[in-house]
Amino acid sequence: MLSGVWTPPEPDAAPASAPGSFPAALPPGRPADELLAELRGLRAGDAPTRGGRTFAYVYDAGLPGLDDLAAAAYATYATVNGLDPTVFPSVARLENDLVRAVSEILGTPGAQGAFTSGGTESVLLAVKAARDHARAERGVTRPQLVLPSTAHAAFHKAAHYLGVEAVVVPVDPVSFRVPAPSVEAALTDRTALVVASAPSYAHGVMDPVADIAAAAAARGVLCHVDACIGGWFLPFLRRTGREVEPFDLSVPGVTSLSVDLHKYGYADKGASVVLYRDAELRRHQYFAHAGWPGYPVVNPTVQGTKSAGLLAQAWAVLRHIGDDGYTALAARIADAADRLLPALRAVPGVRVLGEPAGSLVAFTVTGADGAPDLGGVLRLADEMRERGWYLQPQLSFGPLPPNLHLTLTPATGDRVEALLADLTEAVKTVRTGRGPAPDPASAALAAGLDPDGLGPEEVAAVLAFAGLGGEGPLPTRMAPVLMLLDALPVRLKERLLTEFIGSLFRI
């Protein structure tokens, strides 16, 4: 986010209505080929999702025909309503097939699960199930969620939505893993759920899942493993002969797990699965309501009505690639990492963070004193963007340094040498030059603002100062904007980002 140059198009002017008639909400109908051509034109302004030059947000298997298969499978089920499997029994068949396959890889005998729209929904459901389990089984009325500081923001979103208190445990600033003793010390009688990442998105390192799960089990607390990004990669990486720390439901004390199939399953977004150790725990995820005059409602997931198309395409993609295919794709990623990491570590002024578990790499840029250089990191992102690469910038967080995040896929693996060549030159440019920086006095003034007391005009003024206001395009270089955001308190960052994104969706 905040690293591109896209701006929303101006809305079409509404056609005038005849006097006394209803206002027209849409322009006159147009031929299908014209509309599809317009969509293709709009799409051309986005970052590419295929070709291996975008190192975040997209997961490209690089397999010919896979996109066509997913699209055809989706189209077959696009009009099927996944709300009621008693009316559309094939929905239950497809979901059972898919969840069974995931459970064979990541589950344990008796495990049950559900297909969801993505990692955020899987996390929401796992937190809801833990909250309701703690309430029903232990009488916990003010539940807490214990999680590492590197846990995905989706857990904070779930805590916010569900009225659960988030208790954040700092990670080690060198390994970026959360110490299991620190997690154990954070547990209380109010703890409903403990979280571990396999691996964390920000730095791509594994938390000590077995130790965290054991500490949770000793207190009778549930433990969720966020394997959204690693769950469908690490098991197949293990099959290539690589060592992978145990992290799934077979680990004693792990009671639930989330895995995104639209990441290293290479299905279209959104496709995820949340698994539980048994059906009794999964039951707490469900919502049922019969206290109204309409049809009895039972929703296994957050969504009610939903197209079965995403389920169908995920089912088709997994069965098309198969075990051997996923193992071969994992081997290609591991080979790419073997080529990338030593070369990256050899680039002067670059430091890889932690020990990557396989497919995610985070690195920072250092100054002459060897310390992380925020400006260098952000200017490097701009330099690489101008060379046709998207590397995801991540700001500093307490003692954790700013960095650039790379997601390796089979398609990006084919680009490692080209990436390294451009990166080496870009690092030289960044380290020998000086880029623009926000005015320190203005940054200090902005940092002193009360985020909850800002009115619309004040927010607009701060956004304009940051280069994010007005009707014009975003800056082509985002380093000055991101440097200002990095200097602001977290709550003010959140307020400004909320207002900025809201400004993009204007009518």
Side-chain angles (χ1 to χ4, degrees):
M1 186 180 292
L2 297 185
S3 53
V5 295
W6 178 87
T7 53
E10 292 298 325
D12 293 333
S17 303
S21 67
F22 291 108
L26 295 169
R30 294 165 56 193
D33 57 348
E34 287 186 13
L35 297 171
L36 292 174
E38 183 172 347
L39 287 174
R40 286 190 289 269
L42 290 171
R43 177 67 185 85
D46 295 337
T49 60
R50 296 295 181 261
R53 298 183 74 90
T54 301
F55 280 76
Y57 298 127
V58 297
Y59 299 82
D60 183 4
L63 297 178
L66 193 63
D67 288 343
D68 293 337
L69 170 64
Y74 183 94
T76 303
Y77 270 79
T79 61
V80 174
N81 191 342
L83 172 66
D84 192 343
T86 67
V87 177
F88 303 102
S90 64
V91 171
R93 160 66 190 277
L94 293 178
E95 179 158 341
N96 285 338
D97 283 353
L98 198 62
V99 174
R100 185 180 301 111
V102 173
S103 184
E104 287 291 331
I105 299 294
L106 298 168
T108 191
Q112 298 293 330
F115 179 80
T116 77
S117 64
T120 294
E121 187 178 11
S122 290
V123 165
L124 278 166
L125 292 168
V127 175
K128 178 195 178 298
R131 182 198 68 178
D132 292 358
H133 176 272
R135 181 182 296 158
E137 303 298 327
R138 295 166 43 214
V140 177
T141 57
R142 295 186 299 125
Q144 292 177 326
L145 171 66
V146 174
L147 67 165
S149 60
T150 50
H152 197 279
F155 289 96
H156 294 272
K157 185 176 186 178
H160 176 73
Y161 281 4
L162 297 168
V164 176
E165 179 187 350
V167 177
V168 178
V169 180
V171 301
D172 181 87
V174 176
S175 70
F176 302 93
R177 289 159 57 99
V178 66
S182 299
V183 173
E184 184 175 12
L187 301 179
T188 72
D189 292 339
R190 294 170 53 199
T191 306
L193 185 66
V194 176
V195 175
S197 301
S200 65
Y201 179 86
H203 306 108
V205 302
M206 298 279 286
D207 283 330
V209 172
D211 293 341
I212 291 171
R219 291 289 298 263
V221 172
L222 302 181
C223 176
H224 180 84
V225 173
D226 175 18
C228 282
I229 201 161
W232 208 246
F233 168 72
L234 294 174
F236 295 102
L237 181 65
R238 185 185 289 125
R239 292 185 183 188
T240 70
R242 308 280 179 134
E243 184 176 349
V244 175
E245 295 180 29
F247 68 90
D248 57 27
L249 283 174
S250 66
V251 175
V254 174
T255 54
S256 60
L257 177 145
S258 49
V259 52
D260 286 356
L261 301 179
H262 60 223
K263 290 188 170 75
Y264 288 102
Y266 307 108
D268 286 344
K269 299 178 182 295
S272 181
V273 167
V274 57
L275 282 181
Y276 299 94
R277 68 183 179 197
D278 53 39
E280 178 62 21
L281 182 54
R282 182 185 64 173
R283 177 178 61 81
H284 292 287
Q285 160 184 307
Y286 284 29
F287 172 82
H289 186 74
W292 75 308
Y295 61 92
V297 172
V298 181
N299 295 145
T301 61
V302 174
Q303 298 181 89
T305 290
K306 55 189 175 185
S307 170
L310 288 171
L311 171 63
Q313 62 86 24
W315 180 92
V317 167
L318 261 68
R319 294 206 160 200
H320 177 68
I321 296 177
D323 282 4
D324 290 344
Y326 281 115
T327 303
L329 292 171
R332 289 177 61 187
I333 295 171
D335 174 69
D338 287 345
R339 289 180 283 123
L340 174 69
L341 285 169
L344 197 58
R345 290 184 171 116
V347 176
V350 166
R351 176 161 62 89
V352 175
L353 303 182
E355 291 297 329
S359 63
L360 305 183
V361 176
F363 68 92
T364 193
V365 175
T366 59
D369 59 356
D373 176 12
L374 170 66
V377 168
L378 299 179
R379 291 195 297 274
L380 180 59
D382 286 340
E383 290 287 337
M384 291 299 287
R385 188 65 180 256
E386 292 193 354
R387 288 166 167 80
W389 304 95
Y390 176 71
L391 311 184
Q392 188 173 44
Q394 300 185 136
L395 302 181
S396 59
F397 183 76
L400 309 184
N403 61 85
L404 294 178
H405 169 106
L406 285 77
T407 299
L408 294 175
T409 69
T412 59
D414 295 338
R415 302 276 191 167
V416 165
E417 284 70 29
L419 170 76
L420 286 167
D422 280 347
L423 184 69
T424 301
E425 292 303 312
V427 170
K428 291 179 182 177
T429 300
V430 166
R431 299 193 86 208
T432 57
R434 291 183 60 85
D439 175 58
S442 299
L445 177 63
L449 298 174
D450 175 12
D452 298 312
L454 292 176
E457 293 183 358
E458 293 167 305
V459 170
V462 176
L463 287 175
F465 164 71
L468 301 176
E471 301 296 322
L474 291 175
T476 56
R477 285 182 166 258
M478 295 297 296
V481 175
L482 294 174
M483 288 179 73
L484 173 63
L485 284 176
D486 189 86
L488 299 181
V490 169
R491 184 68 188 91
L492 184 56
K493 277 193 189 80
E494 293 169 348
R495 176 69 196 280
L496 295 179
L497 289 171
T498 299
E499 296 297 333
F500 168 66
I501 293 299
S503 73
L504 296 181
F505 295 96
R506 63 181 189 273
I507 56 175

